[in-house]
């Protein structure tokens, strides 16, 4: 980031010079206004009404007109965010941000992200391409009308260039990439496999994979790839992710969702709750929109919800009949350990013998370079080679989509579905990313189903790289949509999804062997299992619920393991506090027990793993929370037979507790009564340019604020184990929808609608978000009282 920092610093000096010269109007002119009229390439006149939080209600004559206006709104408010997403999807961040982003571009190019974008565009149907073109026309109309670009462009002394349909498909590709991250967990396990013997390594497999006949890709007697090389690859891939030096928003689909049937609802209709979990940033990832198209009355259709700027259509949201939300699940990626001919770098040993890889040349422009970088991508029979050492190729369902796979067509079809048959057909055709889609409708039905293309594997379960020479390791097409798990109108009268396993172990087809621990699902079962007369308020309250079912399972065991006679001074006081807290473990901000528990959990991970793994590998383990949770929690619950305890479980647990107390005293002082969780655990929303230039952070960042919640709870506020406990991800959107006719809804986003730091709508939803309040939504444009823009056709 050094060159980027210097470039932004120079830009900041230029802006400072403008300000000192009395030309601060440049920044003010870059702020989108609210004209009374506008002209767009529409088929008929339209209106846009904005409520007090700048949430737009669009009345357009057709769906195509509505998407044109959506593109216009996106580019007016989020042009910088859109720029980063399209450049990431095309592997062209370095063209804007310079040499420091070249390695990230190379990683994305080698992984096939730009190729996926091209594939989606080539295979899109004529209708979808037409709608994408209409969206792009709206984007470009907004960019053309901006006399001064967004502040980030000013700082970098750049201007946005016109959008093309290919840019939209590139954004779709980067969203799919961000949501499909299993390869990093495979790499972590590959490094662990090389470091550990069989008995110790089994702790890092899900319980059902710990059987003695598990098919190791690297048997204990066979040297595997060097740990250092595997960790270097893990770092390179991680460095191309948001929040790791790459200045772009995270567009994954980690989420929680649940719905209850009419019989459990005080309103007598289904209630639907959804909160999208993303990496937090400024501006907010999501942009909320309410699109009404057709003549007012029975013929008018509604499409409402949350969009990713750069994509047409609503990803999570609701229409006149349906509410839906996608939660991340499904393993659509596998790594293959390749055997390369030392005498010929293009020759590989495959399942049927030796063959030559295909070569694809990619060009990456780099700002400040006279000539672009040329990247040679080798395509093996499994997928692109993403690493020379170790030689690993990536199989990803996104690489194998053909003309029959719908791409953006499926999302747009979902957005327009007017009946159940059309709704299900759109979901059947959905190719990527894979997700667990939870839904409810105004007819009183509800359900959940896995969508997206998932591979039919030969051998293995996707937990570790496969041997590319193994004849049984090849993918055999995709699991048919009809075979993917689904549940409709269950007798229990509720459904839920929270990134956890979707079907019992051993059931077919395999959706994923890598899943979130089931703690959020346990809490939902507790809360919904016997509930009656649920209201919109009680559904919303669950979205910030902080009951810790992980602590409820582990603490009774760990507290018994502590040798209390060895505790002294503050340790005794802390032990009494966490024992009392364990009776009802809630990660409330004012809780001392929550601080002690979270510090103890990390200290126990350090005590068990750090010496054996070494600093580098242990740090990577702490960064991958789900594998850590599965391993550490299994060791706590499974007794002391594992060699990780070294025959001294009681001493290890006690010493880890003492280390946690010492750590808290160092951070917060010697008095345990002052160790509030919200002093340690704060939420912060950071702009990537604020990271690059500290002086900008005061203008662009928001927070930090003291906060409760944590990793395993419904009120998710994700922090990295072994770090500073600052929460860096969680609910970017919360909504509750009652499936009345028309649906009644309330929602809040983490931030605001605008991407401009001088706009009052950059951060105006934070007070409601921080308090757990949802902001009511009007049911129709006519109910919205606020600024109105009347749009005439060009």
């Amino acid at each position: 980031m050094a060159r980027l920092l210097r470039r932004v610093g120079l830009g900041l000096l230029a802006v400072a010079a403008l300000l000192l010269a009395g030309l601060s109007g440049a920044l003010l002119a870059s702020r989108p206004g609210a004209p009374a009229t506008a002209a767009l390439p529409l088929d008929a006149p339209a209106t846009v009404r904005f409520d007090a939080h700048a949430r737009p209600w669009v009345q357009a004559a057709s769906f195509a007109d509505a998407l044109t206006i959506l593109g216009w709104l996106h580019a007016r408010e989020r042009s910088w965010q859109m720029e980063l997403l399209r450049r990431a999807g095309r592997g062209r961040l370095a063209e804007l941000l310079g040499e420091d982003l070249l390695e990230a571009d190379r990683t994305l190019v080698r992984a096939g992200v730009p190729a996926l974008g091209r594939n989606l565009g080539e295979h899109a149907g004529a209708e979808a391409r037409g709608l994408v073109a209409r969206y792009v026309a709206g984007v470009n109309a907004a960019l053309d009308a901006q006399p001064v670009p967004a502040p980030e462009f000013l700082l970098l002394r750049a201007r946005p260039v016109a959008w093309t349909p290919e840019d939209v498909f590139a954004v779709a590709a980067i969203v799919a990439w961000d949501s499909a991250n299993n390869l990093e967990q495979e790499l972590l396990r590959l490094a662990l496999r090389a470091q550990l013997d069989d008995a110790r390594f089994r702790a890092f497999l899900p319980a059902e994979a710990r059987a003695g006949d598990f098919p190791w890709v690297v048997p204990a007697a066979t040297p595997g790839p060097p740990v250092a090389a595997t960790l270097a690859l893990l770092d390179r891939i991680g460095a191309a992710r948001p929040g790791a030096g790459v200045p772009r928003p995270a567009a994954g689909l980690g989420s929680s969702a649940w719905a209850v049937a009419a019989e459990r609802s005080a309103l007598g209709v289904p209630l639907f709750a959804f909160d999208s979990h993303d990496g937090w940033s400024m501006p907010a990832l999501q942009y909320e929109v309410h699109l009404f198209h057709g003549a007012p009355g029975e013929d008018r259709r509604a499409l409402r919800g949350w969009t990713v700027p750069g994509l047409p259509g609503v990803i999570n949201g609701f229409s006149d009949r349906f509410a839906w939300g996608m939660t991340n699940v499904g393993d659509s990626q596998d790594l293959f350990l390749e055997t390369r001919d030392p005498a010929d770098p293009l020759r590989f040993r495959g399942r049927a013998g030796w063959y030559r890889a295909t070569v694809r040349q990619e060009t990456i422009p780099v700002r400040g370079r006279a000539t672009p970088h040329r990247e040679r991508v080798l395509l093996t029979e499994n997928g692109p080679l993403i690493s020379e050492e170790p030689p690993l190729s990536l199989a990803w369902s996104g690489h194998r989509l053909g003309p029959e796979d719908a791409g953006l067509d499926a999302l747009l079809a979902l957005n327009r579905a007017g009946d159940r048959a059309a709704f299900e057909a759109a979901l059947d055709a959905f190719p990527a990313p894979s997700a667990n889609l939870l839904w409810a409708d105004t007819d009183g039905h509800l359900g959940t189903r896995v969508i997206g293309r998932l591979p039919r594997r030969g051998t293995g379960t996707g937990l570790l790289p496969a041997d590319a020479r193994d004849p049984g390791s090849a993918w055999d097409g995709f699991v048919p949509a009809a075979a993917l798990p689904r549940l409709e109108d269950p007798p229990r009268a509720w459904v839920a999804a929270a990134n956890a396993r979707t079907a019992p172990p051993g059931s077919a087809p395999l959706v994923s062997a890598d899943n979130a621990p089931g703690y959020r699902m346990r809490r939902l079962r507790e809360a919904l299992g016997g509930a009656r007369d649920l209201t919109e308020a009680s559904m919303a309250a669950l979205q910030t619920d902080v009951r810790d079912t992980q602590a409820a399972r582990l603490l009774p065991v760990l507290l018994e393991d502590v040798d209390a006679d060895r505790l002294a001074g503050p340790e005794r006081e802390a032990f009494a506090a966490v024992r009392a807290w364990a009776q009802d473990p809630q990660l409330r901000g004012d809780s001392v027990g929550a601080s002690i528990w979270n510090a103890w959990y990390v200290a126990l991970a350090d005590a068990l793993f750090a010496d054996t793994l070494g600093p580098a590998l242990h740090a990577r383990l702490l960064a991958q929370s789900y594998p850590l949770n599965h391993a550490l929690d299994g060791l706590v619950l499974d007794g002391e037979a594992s060699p990780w305890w070294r025959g001294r479980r009681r001493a290890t647990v006690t010493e880890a507790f003492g280390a946690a107390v010492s750590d808290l005293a160092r951070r917060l002082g010697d008095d345990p009564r002052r160790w509030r969780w919200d002093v340690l655990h704060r939420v912060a929303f950071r702009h990537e340019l604020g990271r690059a230039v500290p002086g900008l952070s005061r203008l662009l960042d928001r927070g930090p604020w003291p906060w409760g919640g944590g990793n395993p709870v419904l009120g998710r506020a994700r922090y990295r184990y072994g770090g500073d406990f600052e929460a860096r991800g969680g609910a970017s959107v919360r909504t509750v929808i009652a499936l009345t006719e028309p649906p009644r809804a309330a929602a809040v986003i983490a931030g605001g609608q605008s991407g401009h730091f001088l706009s009052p709508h950059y951060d105006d939803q934070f007070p409601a978000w921080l308090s757990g309040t949802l902001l009511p939504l009007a049911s129709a444009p006519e109910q919205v009282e606020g600024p109105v823009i009347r749009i005439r056709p060009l």
Side-chain angles (χ1 to χ4, degrees):
M1 293 289 285
R3 291 183 180 87
L4 172 61
L5 191 152
R6 287 195 296 273
R7 187 171 297 116
V8 172
L10 290 172
L12 183 61
L13 290 175
V15 172
L18 288 175
L19 293 173
L20 290 174
L23 298 177
S24 59
L27 281 176
L28 294 175
S30 69
R31 186 174 57 181
T37 62
L40 290 178
L42 304 180
D43 297 326
T47 60
V48 183
R49 292 175 169 87
F50 297 91
D51 70 3
H53 295 282
R55 300 180 293 189
W57 271 255
V58 173
Q59 174 61 60
S62 66
F63 186 62
D65 276 2
L67 290 187
T68 304
I69 296 171
L70 177 62
W72 182 71
L73 290 167
H74 277 168
R76 276 168 49 85
E77 297 291 354
R78 304 290 187 87
S79 60
W80 171 250
Q81 188 178 37
M82 295 169 66
E83 186 74 20
L84 295 177
L85 286 171
R86 71 164 163 175
R87 287 186 175 278
R90 301 189 76 162
R92 300 185 70 163
L93 288 163
E95 184 179 29
L96 175 67
L97 300 172
E99 188 102 22
D100 289 340
L101 273 296
L102 176 58
E103 190 59 39
D105 283 343
R106 294 183 65 203
T107 296
L108 294 170
V109 164
R110 286 194 298 261
V113 176
L116 170 58
R118 295 191 294 265
N119 194 15
L120 290 172
E122 290 168 2
H123 294 151
E127 184 180 22
R129 286 196 67 86
L131 292 171
V132 168
R134 291 294 302 271
Y135 172 83
V136 167
V139 170
N140 288 331
L143 296 180
D144 290 343
Q146 290 177 348
V148 179
E152 294 89 347
F153 290 103
L154 289 175
L155 294 174
L156 290 168
R157 293 174 292 168
R159 289 193 68 94
V161 298
W163 274 58
T164 67
E166 287 67 33
D167 291 319
V168 171
F169 294 111
V171 175
I174 199 64
V175 170
W177 168 257
D178 282 352
S179 300
N181 55 10
N182 174 258
L183 78 156
E184 289 167 270
Q185 296 185 23
E186 286 191 46
L187 284 173
L188 174 64
R189 288 196 186 89
L190 184 61
L192 291 166
R193 182 74 192 107
Q195 182 85 352
L196 302 172
D197 58 30
D198 282 0
R200 284 180 171 80
F201 179 68
R202 289 183 198 280
F204 295 98
L205 296 173
E208 64 272 13
R210 296 177 193 165
D213 60 349
F214 189 81
W216 309 111
V217 64
V218 184
T222 304
V227 173
T230 304
L231 292 182
L233 175 57
L234 187 60
D235 286 346
R236 286 200 300 274
I237 293 172
R241 300 283 189 191
V246 177
R248 67 176 179 85
L253 293 176
S255 309
S256 295
W258 56 94
V260 298
E263 64 197 75
R264 290 185 179 271
S265 163
L267 291 179
V269 299
L271 299 177
F272 175 91
F274 176 78
D275 52 298
S276 178
H277 297 169
D278 302 288
W280 287 329
S281 63
M282 292 302 295
L285 170 66
Q286 311 277 357
Y287 181 83
E288 184 179 315
V289 70
H290 304 270
L291 304 177
F292 293 78
H293 54 94
E298 293 184 2
D299 293 333
R300 185 164 71 181
R301 303 279 298 278
L303 172 62
R304 314 174 62 185
W306 297 273
T307 63
V308 172
L311 284 181
V314 168
I315 295 180
N316 300 302
F318 60 109
S319 64
D320 308 282
R321 290 200 55 193
F322 302 100
W324 68 89
M326 301 183 195
T327 69
N328 201 342
V329 75
D331 181 1
S332 62
Q333 294 179 331
D334 279 344
L335 291 172
F336 286 83
L337 191 60
E338 300 285 351
T339 299
R340 201 173 196 170
D341 185 345
D344 184 350
L346 294 182
R347 198 163 176 257
F348 292 84
R349 178 71 178 271
R351 299 174 185 87
W354 291 96
Y355 69 95
R356 289 180 68 80
T358 303
V359 178
R360 184 176 69 216
Q361 296 287 346
E362 299 268 7
T363 299
I364 305 175
V366 181
R367 186 170 181 171
R369 277 195 189 185
T371 58
H373 172 83
R374 301 196 180 278
E375 185 72 18
R376 188 178 74 159
V377 180
L378 301 186
L379 302 176
T380 74
E381 65 182 14
N382 301 298
L385 194 75
I386 63 169
S387 167
E388 300 288 332
E389 180 56 44
L392 287 168
S393 60
L394 171 65
W396 178 25
S397 62
H399 296 151
R400 306 187 183 199
L401 303 181
E404 71 282 3
D405 295 302
L408 275 179
D409 308 56
L411 177 64
L412 295 170
L414 172 66
N415 285 180
R416 289 177 292 170
D419 57 41
R420 181 68 180 281
F423 186 78
E424 294 288 355
L427 297 181
D428 286 344
F430 205 89
S434 60
N436 195 354
L437 184 135
L438 191 140
W439 59 271
D441 67 24
T442 56
D443 290 335
H445 301 292
L446 48 82
T448 182
R449 55 171 292 181
V450 174
I451 61 172
R453 298 291 184 258
L454 293 175
R456 288 191 296 206
R457 293 179 173 86
T459 58
T461 57
L463 290 172
L464 280 159
D467 188 339
R469 301 168 301 179
D470 179 358
S473 67
W475 283 11
D476 182 22
F478 295 129
V479 177
L484 293 172
R486 65 184 68 199
L487 180 67
E488 180 182 340
D489 294 331
R492 68 191 186 195
W494 62 271
V495 291
N499 311 124
R501 178 178 286 277
T502 60
S507 57
L510 175 68
V511 173
S512 175
D514 256 335
N515 301 283
Y519 297 119
R520 282 178 283 150
M521 286 295 292
R522 286 177 180 273
R523 178 57 184 145
L524 287 169
R525 185 175 62 190
E526 287 178 359
L528 300 176
R532 292 289 187 274
D533 296 325
L534 288 163
T535 64
E536 293 145 294
S538 57
M539 296 284 277
L542 265 181
Q543 293 177 327
T544 55
D545 180 271
V546 293
R547 175 166 169 77
D548 189 342
T549 57
Q550 180 189 39
R553 289 192 79 198
L554 302 186
L555 269 176
V557 178
L558 288 172
L559 289 169
E560 289 299 316
D561 281 336
V562 171
D563 184 354
D565 292 338
R566 293 181 55 186
L567 304 180
E571 294 176 355
R572 286 184 176 276
E573 190 173 350
F575 188 67
V578 77
R579 183 188 289 277
W581 180 79
Q583 304 305 307
D584 182 21
Q586 306 265 354
L587 296 182
R588 290 193 298 266
D590 62 357
S591 172
V592 169
S595 296
I596 299 168
W597 159 242
N598 280 280
W600 190 9
Y601 189 85
V602 174
L604 187 58
D606 291 342
L608 285 171
F609 303 132
D611 288 345
T612 301
L613 299 183
L617 183 51
H618 183 58
R620 299 333 185 277
L621 173 62
L622 292 178
Q624 296 278 345
S625 61
Y626 291 169
L628 173 68
N629 292 153
H630 286 299
L632 182 54
D633 299 6
L635 290 172
V636 169
L637 297 172
D638 290 347
E640 53 186 316
S642 171
W644 282 109
W645 291 110
R646 303 175 183 86
R648 56 189 309 273
R649 173 177 174 130
R650 189 171 175 83
T652 300
V653 171
T654 304
E655 290 163 5
F657 185 80
V661 171
S662 297
D663 182 52
L664 290 171
R666 177 182 60 82
R667 294 174 185 264
L668 303 176
D670 293 333
D671 186 354
R673 292 171 297 181
R674 298 182 180 274
W675 295 351
R676 289 173 55 113
W677 178 227
D678 59 9
V679 177
L680 281 177
H681 188 249
R682 303 186 298 170
V683 295
F685 297 79
R686 304 193 185 280
H687 194 293
E688 286 297 339
L689 292 187
R691 297 177 190 269
V693 180
L696 283 179
S697 62
R698 294 186 179 184
L699 295 175
L700 302 177
D701 296 355
R702 294 297 182 267
W705 293 292
W707 192 247
N711 288 340
V713 299
L714 292 176
R716 188 158 165 78
R718 186 179 70 245
Y719 68 89
R720 179 170 173 168
Y721 293 114
D724 58 5
F725 293 102
E726 179 179 283
R728 292 176 168 84
S732 60
V733 169
R734 301 190 198 109
T735 186
V736 172
I737 302 165
L739 275 302
T740 54
E741 295 191 40
R744 187 171 76 192
V748 69
I749 65 175
Q753 290 284 94
S754 178
H756 198 297
F757 75 96
L758 291 179
S759 168
H761 304 297
Y762 183 66
D763 57 5
D764 60 331
Q765 294 190 45
F766 272 130
W769 187 90
L770 289 164
S771 66
T773 302
L774 301 183
L775 304 170
L777 299 173
S779 296
E782 296 78 15
Q783 299 172 3
V784 178
E785 298 179 359
V788 179
I789 301 177
R790 302 190 185 282
I791 304 176
R792 65 181 187 276
L794 282 173

